[in-house]
Amino acid sequence: MGIEEIRKILVVGSGAMGSQIAMVCALAGYEVALQDISQESLQKAEESLKGHMRRRVDKGRLTQAQVEEAFARLTFSENLEQAARDADFVIEAIIEKLEVKRQLFAELDRLTPAHAILATNSSTIVSSKVADATKRPEKVCNMHFFNPALVMELVEVVRNPHTSQETVDITVELTRKIGKIPIVLHKEISGFVANRILGAMMDEAVSLYEQGIASFEDIDLACLKALNHPIGPFALMDLTGIDVNYYVRMQRMEETGDPQAGPKKSVIEKFKKGEWGRKTGKGWYDYTEQAKSTSRSEATEAPDRTKGDR
C-alpha cells in the first residue's frame, strides 16, 4: 500500500485533540470521519472547530471557501461501524486508559478494511500494548500530535517491534501531507521525546511550588520571561488537562513500579476536585473570572502558535 491509497481518515475521539486532528486532515484535502460515543461531545467539537476556523478567516489565514470545503469533507458520527467500514487510516484519540484502548483497537481491527493502518495518538501508552489486540500488529503505530493540533507542527511517529517499514513510511508521508513535521522513534519509550523533556521541567516546577519556593504564577512567569517559553508549565497543564497529567503519571508509575513516577500531590488534589484546567473552568488558574491580574494574564497567555488560532 502507498500513500496515494489513503483517501479516508477516521479519527476516534472528539475531544480537543481528536477534533483538531480531524480538522487538520480535512483542511489537507482528506475525507474525514470524526467519531465519538457522545453526541454532546461531537456537537461541542463542531462548535469549537467553527470558532477556530472563523478566527482564521477573520485573520486572513484561510478563505471562507477553504473552510466550507473542509467542513464538507468532515463528518461527525456516533456510529463506529459506519465510520470505520471504508477508513484507510485510523487515528485514535480517546481517554488514556489501556483497557479502553485495547477494546477499541480490537473493534477497529474487526470493522476496518484489512489494509487500514491503526494509529494511536497516545504519548504514554506505546502501540505494542494495543497491537496484540488486533490481527494486524504490523499496521499499528503511535502517531502523536501535540496540543493544539491545529497549530503545533511536530508529530512523533513511533514504531513498535512489530510495526512494518511500510506502515512507518506511510505514516511519515501522511504527516507531511497534512502539513506537519514528522520525527521517527525507532524504539518505544513512554512519553517519547518531547514530553519526556517537558515532563522533567514540569516535575521541577511542581516541586518548587510544593516546597513553597514560589507561587505557581511566578514560576510560570520565570519560564516566560527568563527562559522565553511561550507558555508556563502550570498554564500548559491547564491547557492540556490536569486529568491528562494525572493519567499519564499513573500509567508511568504502573509501568516502572516507582512511586516517584506517579502524579505529584498537588496534581492528585486537583484531579480529585475535578479542577482539570480550561476544560472544567478551573485548574491552576480560574477561567471563570472576568478580570485577571496582570501577572496571571501574562502567565496564561501565549503567542498564537500555542492557542490554536494560527
Side-chain angles (χ1 to χ4, degrees):
M1 185 172 74
I3 187 64
E4 66 280 352
E5 295 177 63
I6 305 297
R7 297 183 179 89
K8 180 179 176 181
I9 297 171
L10 166 62
V11 180
V12 182
S14 63
M17 285 299 296
S19 61
Q20 291 197 22
I21 291 169
M23 181 53 74
V24 166
C25 296
L27 285 168
Y30 286 97
E31 295 294 323
V32 183
L34 179 62
Q35 189 275 336
D36 200 295
I37 59 174
S38 167
Q39 182 60 36
E40 181 183 1
S41 180
L42 288 168
Q43 290 173 346
K44 287 181 178 179
E46 186 171 6
E47 291 169 6
S48 176
L49 290 175
K50 285 180 178 177
H52 284 303
M53 294 302 102
R54 184 168 56 250
R55 288 190 289 275
R56 290 192 174 198
V57 171
D58 290 344
K59 293 178 180 180
R61 292 166 179 166
L62 290 172
T63 66
Q64 186 61 37
Q66 286 174 313
V67 170
E68 290 174 1
E69 289 168 4
F71 272 109
R73 289 188 288 266
L74 177 58
T75 59
F76 300 81
S77 176
E78 290 180 80
N79 190 322
L80 181 61
E81 183 172 1
Q82 184 178 40
R85 65 188 177 192
D86 57 350
D88 303 303
F89 198 104
V90 180
I91 303 170
E92 169 271 314
I94 65 169
I95 190 168
E96 291 291 273
K97 290 188 176 180
L98 179 57
E99 285 309 310
V100 179
K101 289 183 187 288
R102 285 182 60 82
Q103 292 171 13
L104 174 62
F105 270 75
E107 201 167 359
L108 289 170
D109 185 51
R110 179 176 62 84
L111 295 173
T112 57
H115 69 267
I117 290 172
L118 308 179
T120 173
N121 180 58
S122 178
S123 66
T124 57
I125 298 176
V126 292
S127 67
S128 60
K129 292 183 177 293
V130 296
D132 65 347
T134 77
K135 296 177 182 178
R136 60 181 97 177
E138 76 283 357
K139 292 183 176 292
V140 178
C141 68
N142 288 81
M143 186 184 189
H144 176 233
F145 291 75
F146 290 83
N147 191 19
L150 278 165
V151 173
M152 302 300 282
E153 294 179 297
L154 191 72
V155 171
E156 294 172 316
V157 177
V158 189
R159 67 190 314 154
N160 69 64
H162 302 288
T163 308
S164 69
Q165 189 59 46
E166 178 184 89
T167 295
V168 172
D169 292 343
I170 290 173
T171 306
V172 165
E173 187 59 28
L174 178 61
T175 301
R176 294 191 178 111
K177 289 276 189 182
I178 61 175
K180 302 299 183 183
I181 299 170
I183 66 168
V184 177
L185 278 69
H186 304 292
K187 295 181 180 179
E188 291 186 321
I189 184 170
S190 180
F192 306 158
V193 172
N195 279 344
R196 288 185 74 89
I197 296 169
L198 179 62
M201 185 192 76
M202 280 190 172
D203 277 352
E204 186 62 23
V206 177
S207 291
L208 290 169
Y209 166 74
E210 290 185 351
Q211 292 175 60
I213 304 298
S215 68
F216 65 84
E217 295 97 333
D218 282 351
I219 295 169
D220 270 0
L221 283 172
C223 292
L224 287 169
K225 304 304 181 184
L227 304 180
N228 202 29
H229 290 182
I231 188 169
F234 293 94
L236 181 58
M237 272 188 271
D238 279 357
L239 178 64
T240 57
I242 290 171
D243 57 324
V244 174
N245 181 286
Y246 174 85
Y247 286 127
V248 165
R249 293 296 176 174
M250 289 298 290
Q251 178 71 26
R252 193 166 296 175
M253 181 171 65
E254 290 173 11
E255 288 177 355
T256 63
D258 179 7
Q260 296 301 314
K264 297 286 188 182
K265 179 181 177 182
S266 54
V267 170
I268 295 172
E269 290 172 355
K270 290 195 172 292
F271 176 80
K272 289 182 176 179
K273 288 180 183 178
E275 296 176 356
W276 295 354
R278 290 176 182 259
K279 67 178 74 176
T280 60
K282 186 176 182 182
W284 294 103
Y285 297 93
D286 188 343
Y287 300 93
T288 62
E289 295 179 0
Q290 295 300 310
K292 296 181 175 66
S293 67
T294 301
S295 63
R296 178 172 294 182
S297 296
E298 286 182 341
T300 56
E301 286 200 5
D304 279 353
R305 67 189 181 91
T306 65
K307 284 187 172 179
D309 294 335
R310 191 174 68 179

